[in-house]
Amino acid sequence: MSSKSSDRTLVNVIGIPAWLGVIALGGIYYSLFMTVCIAIALWEFYQMAKTKDISPNPFVGILFTILIIAFYWISPPVSQNIFFGIVILGIVGLLIEELIRDLPDAMGNISYTLLGLFYIPLFLGTSIPIRQIDAEHGIYLTFALVTSVWACDSAAFFFGTKWGKKKILPRVSPKKSYVGSIAGMITSFGVMALFQSQGLLGNFFETKDIIIFSLITGVFGQIGDFVESMLKRDVGVKDSGTLLKGHGGVLDRFDSLIFAMPLAYLYLRYLGIS
């Protein structure tokens, strides 16, 4: 076994049970874990931007990450005026900070700082209220979403490697095939249906809801993977980081969930479950 394969195996053996264990604990443990992961992923995103001689503002990024996570965790009943006031003051503060930094490519620095905030903490942070909904209603939707995304990725890789010929977006991700993608979507539905059949999703969701959650994890989860591949290809890097040996960076591990979690959260709000 190669050194890289050994590293991947070690991360899987330790990381997967630890990740599932934190989901099971929920509460402050899960929220703190997600905050750390989101902060690291954002830092990796900003480091990738530096390969294009762009300097996002990490101080502003991490500060607003904490505020976004706190908002998801506490869910304060703030008025629309207060919410938009905070957003406007934040953007004004970012512009003033960039003025003081006096670095080249101010537009690029500001753009990447804001893109990182929208792309990572704002999207992935929705996993926190989803886990709170689980605790309040005695369901296991977070487990189902995460497992469905993992199963989709694994099935897409296996079937794509074995039988995938025609590629979907070779300019972005040369190895992703239609066969693998379809296999991933089918597997996602199988996982969500299994959770539902075992009564782990309560009485809230009907068959149509399971189909929609399956589309979220099986289709939009894969789109999230493609989007991160596009961003990495744009800056000329293979992995977002090296923290997870053999697996790249933290952002690489959460790319599918970055799209799946906010869409699942929006759908839960549409159903009136909050």
Side-chain angles (χ1 to χ4, degrees):
M1 182 182 291
S2 67
S3 175
K4 186 174 181 179
S5 297
S6 299
D7 289 338
R8 288 178 65 91
T9 301
L10 181 62
V11 170
N12 284 334
V13 168
I14 298 175
I16 291 176
W19 170 222
L20 295 176
V22 171
I23 295 175
L25 285 172
I28 189 65
Y29 303 102
Y30 178 77
S31 297
L32 286 175
F33 174 80
M34 288 306 303
T35 301
V36 171
C37 288
I38 288 170
I40 294 173
L42 184 63
W43 180 265
E44 291 174 347
F45 179 83
Y46 287 161
Q47 291 300 114
M48 288 196 304
K50 290 185 177 181
T51 64
K52 299 191 73 173
D53 295 324
I54 294 172
S55 302
N57 193 317
F59 172 76
V60 171
I62 297 301
L63 174 62
F64 273 88
T65 292
I66 294 172
L67 291 175
I68 291 168
I69 297 302
F71 185 86
Y72 281 133
W73 168 248
I74 302 171
S75 299
V78 297
S79 69
Q80 192 176 64
N81 290 337
I82 293 177
F83 175 78
F84 281 110
I86 292 173
V87 172
I88 291 170
L89 288 175
I91 294 175
V92 169
L94 172 61
L95 294 172
I96 293 174
E97 175 70 10
E98 189 62 33
L99 184 66
I100 296 171
R101 292 171 83 203
D102 193 25
L103 294 174
D105 199 358
M107 289 185 68
N109 300 341
I110 294 166
S111 298
Y112 269 81
T113 300
L114 291 175
L115 176 59
L117 288 174
F118 280 104
Y119 178 53
I120 301 174
L122 191 65
F123 282 14
L124 191 55
T126 54
S127 63
I128 292 175
I130 290 176
R131 182 61 185 86
Q132 291 174 332
I133 290 171
D134 285 350
E136 291 166 5
H137 298 286
I139 57 177
Y140 296 87
L141 182 60
T142 304
F143 271 116
L145 293 171
V146 169
T147 306
S148 182
V149 165
W150 281 350
C152 176
D153 288 346
S154 299
F157 176 79
F158 177 78
F159 285 94
T161 301
K162 288 281 187 180
W163 297 287
K165 300 296 183 183
K166 188 172 179 57
K167 307 306 178 183
I168 302 174
L169 288 171
R171 67 178 178 81
V172 172
S173 188
K175 296 182 180 180
K176 298 289 196 309
S177 68
Y178 282 99
V179 168
S181 180
I182 292 170
M185 287 187 283
I186 294 172
T187 305
S188 290
F189 175 75
V191 170
M192 294 301 303
L194 178 62
F195 270 81
Q196 174 73 342
S197 67
Q198 297 301 309
L200 299 175
L201 300 181
N203 300 318
F204 296 102
F205 308 121
E206 302 174 357
T207 301
K208 66 176 179 62
D209 302 316
I210 299 305
I211 292 173
I212 289 174
F213 281 128
S214 301
L215 290 174
I216 287 172
T217 57
V219 176
F220 289 97
Q222 292 190 63
I223 291 174
D225 194 344
F226 276 114
V227 167
E228 201 224 355
S229 295
M230 174 186 68
L231 296 174
K232 289 190 296 186
R233 187 166 290 272
D234 181 61
V235 298
V237 300
K238 184 177 183 295
D239 298 315
S240 66
T242 58
L243 182 62
L244 304 176
K245 292 182 178 296
H247 285 271
V250 172
L251 181 57
D252 294 321
R253 294 302 94 206
F254 284 92
D255 54 2
S256 297
L257 289 172
I258 284 174
F259 266 48
M261 285 298 186
L263 291 174
Y265 178 66
L266 287 176
Y267 187 65
L268 288 170
R269 296 298 298 266
Y270 168 77
L271 292 176
I273 302 173
S274 61

